[in-house]
Amino acid sequence: QKEVEQNSGPLSVPEGAIASLNCTYSDRVSQSFFWYRQYSGKSPELIMSIYSNGDKEDGRFTAQLNKASQYVSLLIRDSQPSDSATYLCAVFILTGGGNKLTFGTGTQLKVEL
Amino acid sequence: DTGVSQDPRHKITKRGQNVTFRCDPISEHNRLYWYRQTLGQGPEFLTYFQNEAQLEKSRLLSDRFSAERPKGSFSTLEIQRTEQGDSAMYLCASSLVSNPTTGGWYFGPGTRLTVT
């Protein structure tokens, strides 16, 4: 089982709709969770972070975390064509030998006009 | 502009040649990370430094790979006897502290390596 799992997509949504991206993780000691956006050929850009169970909102983005279910999601409201990108879920575990971010494979989002 | 720079941005090399990449982190950041990303995959951890000490290496980092961070400033990643499977984007990130909950991780623009 991969440490961080995402559907590769593509996920297609019409402009103005809500895009829902999902991620599951396997390590129960995972402490922090991040969503990165990556445009083709570019490096990842941090858009959201969440550490506690529940929802965290930032503009059009809402991150949701459920540690009991080992599930984290990202909602993008009022999706725009400029949101078309790959969204990477990343998990941070603070242990003696694991001070690194572990990434999923990413979900490709396409926002259609 | 995140402040982390990488050089070169693109490198095309023939199989069997050696290549070296450079990463300059944000100046006050004491932690530096190398990741590799292949097409359709997420970034995979390679190694990280705290100051000049290399504290962890992934098993992905074969003996053909070596990384250094002299004086705790810039870092270099060298690949010897390149293979076609080394073709990837090599990403560098830096942070002031280890835990991204208290300090951000900033990625550089990456070096895209193509081995022909």
Side-chain angles (χ1 to χ4, degrees):
Chain A
Q1 182 185 7
K2 292 183 178 179
E3 293 179 78
V4 181
E5 295 206 48
Q6 299 179 253
N7 288 324
S8 60
L11 172 66
S12 294
V13 299
E15 184 178 6
I18 296 175
S20 177
L21 304 163
N22 304 315
C23 172
T24 58
Y25 59 94
S26 61
D27 196 324
R28 287 192 172 274
V29 300
S30 301
Q31 296 184 321
S32 312
F33 308 86
F34 303 85
W35 285 99
Y36 284 80
R37 178 176 61 199
Q38 187 173 31
Y39 293 112
S40 181
K42 303 295 185 182
S43 62
E45 173 192 10
L46 179 65
I47 54 173
M48 286 289 291
S49 60
I50 186 166
Y51 320 121
S52 304
N53 280 326
D55 295 358
K56 180 182 178 182
E57 185 174 320
D58 184 0
R60 296 187 296 113
F61 299 99
T62 298
Q64 299 174 316
L65 174 61
N66 184 325
K67 289 188 176 182
S69 300
Q70 296 176 239
Y71 177 91
V72 58
S73 66
L74 179 70
L75 300 178
I76 306 174
R77 291 180 298 281
D78 188 24
S79 296
Q80 302 297 309
S82 59
D83 295 327
S84 297
T86 295
Y87 289 80
L88 297 163
C89 173
V91 172
F92 180 80
I93 304 169
L94 184 63
T95 66
N99 297 329
K100 59 185 181 288
L101 285 178
T102 299
F103 288 83
T105 56
T107 297
Q108 185 183 5
L109 173 66
K110 293 184 177 180
V111 181
E112 299 168 334
L113 296 171
Chain B
D1 184 358
T2 62
V4 179
S5 62
Q6 293 186 246
D7 184 70
R9 297 289 302 277
H10 303 274
K11 178 70 176 179
I12 300 173
T13 191
K14 292 184 177 180
R15 188 177 56 183
Q17 298 296 304
N18 298 345
V19 294
T20 300
F21 310 141
R22 175 177 171 130
C23 171
D24 286 88
I26 294 172
S27 59
E28 64 269 23
H29 284 187
N30 60 350
R31 286 186 173 244
L32 187 148
Y33 305 82
W34 284 100
Y35 280 77
R36 180 177 70 185
Q37 187 175 24
T38 53
L39 197 62
Q41 300 297 314
E44 296 174 296
F45 171 79
L46 293 178
T47 189
Y48 89 92
F49 292 84
Q50 179 169 316
N51 299 314
E52 67 274 10
Q54 188 174 18
L55 296 185
E56 186 176 350
K57 293 193 292 186
S58 164
R59 62 181 184 276
L60 293 175
L61 215 65
S62 75
D63 56 6
R64 296 185 298 106
F65 288 71
S66 62
E68 295 181 341
R69 193 183 182 197
K71 303 178 182 178
S73 56
F74 70 91
S75 176
T76 58
L77 178 67
E78 180 183 17
I79 309 174
Q80 296 181 328
R81 305 181 303 281
T82 52
E83 302 173 355
Q84 288 186 322
D86 296 331
S87 296
M89 174 80 88
Y90 289 84
L91 294 163
C92 174
S94 73
S95 72
L96 184 57
V97 294
S98 65
N99 189 336
T101 62
T102 54
W105 284 39
Y106 296 88
F107 279 89
T111 294
R112 180 165 296 285
L113 172 66
T114 302
V115 181
T116 62

